[in-house]
Amino acid sequence: MSTGSVEDIYSDLYSTFSQLTCTTADDIEQLPYSIDLKTSLIFVGSTVGGLLFGYDTGVISGVLLNLKPEDLSRPSLTDFNREIITSITSIGSFLGSIIAFPLADRCGRRITLAICCMVFIISGIWMALSRSLLFLVVGRLIVGIAVGVAAQCTPIYLSEISPANVRGFMLTLNSVAITGGQLLSYMFAFVLRDLSQSWRYLFGISAIPAIMFISLLDFIPESPRWLVTRGKFPEAHSALKMIYPGASVHQINLKLRRLIIDLGKLNHYNDIDEPLLQQSRSFLMNLNSSILSQANSIEVPVINNLVQPSNSYSSLPNQRSSLKRKRHVHKMEARTKRALMVGCTLMFFQQVTGFNAFMYYSPIIFSKLNIQDPLLPAILVAITNFLFTFVALRYVERVGKRSMLLYTVVIMIIGLLLCSTGFEKNNLNLLLTSIVIFVAGYASAMGTVPWSCVEFLPLNRRSFGASCISCTNWLTNAIVSLSYLSIIDKIGDSSTMLIFAMFSTFSWIFIYFCYPEVRGLSLEEIGKIFENGIDIYNVYRNYY
């Protein structure tokens, strides 16, 4: 056991804990995870935010197709009016991503999602009752704020409650909810298309899933990791029991012990209140006593030493301690910046490759091609997007996110090049085929993986980093959706597809050189990849 600085103490403590969990085979992060009714309610309920995210972003395509100028007391609706109605949600989502950062850290992930659902209910009713363009735009702005909060908070929550061996699956499940919400919006638009002012019903329907989430709130636990950062250790223990209903008390105690140890380690990189550290040490001592009574293989001296600060710490020169702390702060800041660079850049490429241009405006695109019912090919796009999200769901853990991205971005590029040719030759069959190819490639990885980049970030920077990643998404989304119709009017559809293909090529190059594989790693292990540069092949070198 080290007798040096606090950093040395917690480093040895963490190392000893790793040996302990390996020898006892009680690390529930790595044990097979069974999905039963209780855990299904947790994960399905927590993806309602993703469902609402998808529905409220996809519904605009059906709304624009059925919205009449007289519905909003206007003589006409220009392309610019349509772009404003569409893009204002992305601007609202940008603001929501900023709000979500302090809200999720202060109120918790669970309560933040509940607040978000209340906003979805209010905005859905607001938009359904809109009688003017301004009123509708304000409603779209409000729902955008809720979408931004949900888009940021849901991946954080899922990443923090999911075991390491199913985290990729659970994060991709959120993407399934998003694409499912988009598909539902198209289906409802198709079914209700003959109703007068059907767009009002489309907006009103969005309140239903939000009401469902609030009704399930008692079955959804708070993030144990967040609870630990607030010193709510008994509540964290209860939350872990809800998430791991088949785990023994001994396994739950070991998991909670590890979370508290990681909280102590964060103190070397960021200011954590000393009372919280003292509280964590006290609780950890009691927890170790409980673990000791359940596992005779743990030696008493080791347990006691792990929670007692070294006597020599107080005698260390202050200057040396200060210099060491500065080095650790710099190390953590560098790690966070690298992780943020990867997450934000990948999210930027997710938007500039053009998918949401198809999602928002495909009915308008196909209506200009003189198709009798432009919603039908638009539904084909949504179905493709939904179905191929299951490809990501099935293979993201087996193949790995990095490999999935590298394979599927090539498919996206091929689809966009064929799409450009389809527009140039005005060949409807080629156009539909190429769009399906592009959307299939996009949904299989690029549509899902960027949202999981929150797992790269340390716990005490996760909400802030998720906010940055989400803001990048919505700012880029707003620029694309606000300019797409104007751009195709100036340079044509074919040239616009070539621009999207160019950005897709740049994204492949970035992934190849900068995106690391993290398959099977715990959130705490992922941080090591970014400590000294970006160790892209860390997993392959150490585990495969």
Side-chain angles (χ1 to χ4, degrees):
M1 182 68 193
S2 172
T3 58
S5 68
V6 176
E7 206 284 326
D8 296 326
I9 294 170
Y10 275 103
S11 178
D12 289 345
L13 184 154
Y14 188 80
S15 175
T16 305
F17 173 75
S18 297
Q19 295 171 8
L20 174 68
T21 54
C22 290
T23 55
T24 60
D26 273 332
D27 184 2
I28 53 178
E29 282 274 357
Q30 302 300 331
L31 294 177
Y33 189 76
S34 60
I35 304 293
D36 57 18
L37 179 60
K38 291 182 179 178
T39 54
S40 296
L41 282 176
I42 294 172
F43 291 112
V44 172
S46 60
T47 57
V48 167
L51 180 69
L52 290 165
F53 166 14
Y55 184 90
D56 280 294
T57 54
V59 74
I60 193 62
S61 59
V63 168
L64 293 179
L65 201 61
N66 292 285
L67 185 64
K68 303 294 190 295
E70 55 269 24
D71 295 339
L72 300 178
S73 305
R74 295 183 65 84
S76 64
L77 282 175
T78 65
D79 280 348
F80 181 71
N81 294 148
R82 294 185 178 92
E83 288 174 334
I84 288 292
I85 294 171
T86 303
S87 62
I88 195 67
T89 298
S90 299
I91 296 172
S93 299
F94 176 81
L95 298 175
S97 297
I98 297 173
I99 295 171
F101 158 49
L103 192 63
D105 270 355
R106 177 171 296 183
C107 300
R109 289 44 164 145
R110 174 176 170 269
I111 298 302
T112 298
L113 288 173
I115 295 171
C116 181
C117 283
M118 292 298 299
V119 178
F120 273 118
I121 295 171
I122 295 169
S123 61
I125 297 172
W126 179 297
M127 292 183 293
L129 298 177
S130 296
R131 297 289 177 181
S132 68
L133 179 62
L134 178 61
F135 204 81
L136 178 58
V137 168
V138 171
R140 290 283 292 169
L141 178 67
I142 294 172
V143 79
I145 293 173
V147 168
V149 174
Q152 177 191 329
C153 194
T154 301
I156 292 176
Y157 178 72
L158 285 172
S159 70
E160 290 182 353
I161 67 172
S162 301
N165 55 354
V166 296
R167 188 184 311 112
F169 175 87
M170 294 305 176
L171 287 169
T172 308
L173 185 65
N174 182 53
S175 297
V176 170
I178 294 172
T179 57
Q182 291 169 337
L183 177 59
L184 283 174
S185 70
Y186 277 96
M187 297 298 291
F188 282 126
F190 181 76
V191 171
L192 301 174
R193 69 189 186 284
D194 294 329
L195 286 178
S196 175
Q197 297 189 354
S198 63
W199 60 273
R200 298 188 187 278
Y201 297 96
L202 294 176
F203 282 137
I205 289 171
S206 64
I208 297 175
I211 295 172
M212 290 172 55
F213 176 86
I214 293 175
S215 66
L216 290 172
L217 203 58
D218 289 341
F219 301 96
I220 299 174
E222 182 53 87
S223 162
R225 286 177 169 88
W226 180 82
L227 289 168
V228 165
T229 64
R230 289 298 181 268
K232 299 180 179 181
F233 305 120
E235 291 90 340
H237 192 278
S238 298
L240 286 169
K241 288 174 65 177
M242 290 182 68
I243 296 168
Y244 302 93
S248 66
V249 175
H250 177 61
Q251 291 170 330
I252 296 294
N253 287 342
L254 283 173
K255 178 61 181 175
L256 180 57
R257 183 175 181 269
R258 181 170 187 171
L259 294 181
I260 296 172
I261 289 170
D262 289 326
L263 172 69
K265 291 179 71 181
L266 287 177
N267 186 47
H268 316 309
Y269 308 105
N270 189 53
D271 290 331
I272 294 178
D273 293 339
E274 184 60 30
L276 177 57
L277 286 176
Q278 294 294 341
Q279 183 183 355
S280 69
R281 293 187 188 109
S282 176
F283 187 86
L284 193 57
M285 291 180 68
N286 294 331
L287 187 61
N288 281 330
S289 298
S290 176
I291 293 174
L292 179 62
S293 67
Q294 298 159 355
N296 295 327
S297 61
I298 307 175
E299 297 179 3
V300 178
V302 174
I303 294 293
N304 291 333
N305 285 337
L306 290 182
V307 298
Q308 295 292 341
S310 170
N311 294 329
S312 63
Y313 171 64
S314 58
S315 63
L316 284 173
N318 290 333
Q319 183 178 6
R320 179 184 173 189
S321 177
S322 176
L323 288 173
K324 245 192 157 177
R325 182 178 179 82
K326 287 180 180 179
R327 285 199 297 269
H328 290 309
V329 169
H330 176 74
K331 186 177 181 181
M332 177 58 81
E333 287 178 349
R335 167 192 161 182
T336 303
K337 287 177 182 178
R338 294 184 191 106
L340 267 181
M341 184 277 293
V342 174
C344 290
T345 305
L346 191 63
M347 190 60 82
F348 167 80
F349 282 123
Q350 185 199 66
Q351 293 303 309
V352 295
T353 50
F355 170 77
N356 280 323
F358 291 111
M359 185 55 64
Y360 297 152
Y361 299 116
S362 55
I364 295 177
I365 294 171
F366 290 120
S367 65
K368 292 181 178 180
L369 297 175
N370 298 320
I371 296 178
Q372 187 173 2
D373 195 339
L375 270 176
L376 288 176
I379 289 174
L380 177 63
V381 170
I383 291 175
T384 304
N385 184 37
F386 178 69
L387 292 179
F388 276 86
T389 304
F390 284 93
V391 174
L393 192 67
R394 178 175 177 80
Y395 292 105
V396 69
E397 290 293 347
R398 186 179 304 178
V399 178
K401 298 184 184 74
R402 173 183 164 82
S403 297
M404 287 288 289
L405 284 168
L406 291 174
Y407 295 147
T408 57
V409 169
V410 173
I411 297 173
M412 289 168 54
I413 296 170
I414 293 172
L416 287 168
L417 293 176
L418 291 174
C419 194
S420 176
T421 304
F423 276 119
E424 185 178 358
K425 297 183 178 297
N426 200 25
N427 187 323
L428 181 59
N429 291 330
L430 177 59
L431 184 59
L432 286 173
T433 302
S434 60
I435 290 177
V436 167
I437 292 172
F438 166 73
V439 173
Y442 177 91
S444 298
M446 183 61 84
T448 60
V449 172
W451 289 108
S452 68
C453 288
V454 294
E455 65 185 351
F456 294 164
L457 301 160
L459 177 61
N460 60 329
R461 290 288 184 265
R462 194 164 295 144
S463 289
F464 169 75
S467 180
C468 294
I469 293 171
S470 190
C471 284
T472 302
N473 174 284
W474 295 115
L475 184 60
T476 313
N477 187 315
I479 293 171
V480 173
S481 58
L482 186 60
S483 60
Y484 179 74
L485 293 178
S486 301
I487 289 175
I488 61 174
D489 283 342
K490 290 184 178 179
I491 67 174
D493 293 289
S494 179
S495 297
T496 304
M497 296 303 109
L498 290 178
I499 292 175
F500 290 149
M502 176 187 69
F503 278 116
S504 297
T505 303
F506 290 155
S507 73
W508 190 94
I509 295 171
F510 171 78
I511 293 162
Y512 184 83
F513 287 104
C514 298
Y515 187 86
E517 184 56 73
V518 295
R519 179 167 45 130
L521 298 182
S522 69
L523 291 179
E524 290 71 32
E525 290 172 321
I526 289 173
K528 297 178 182 178
I529 290 176
F530 297 94
E531 286 183 351
N532 299 296
I534 303 175
D535 191 356
I536 296 174
Y537 302 107
N538 177 282
V539 169
Y540 302 115
R541 185 172 59 253
N542 294 314
Y543 297 98
Y544 299 103

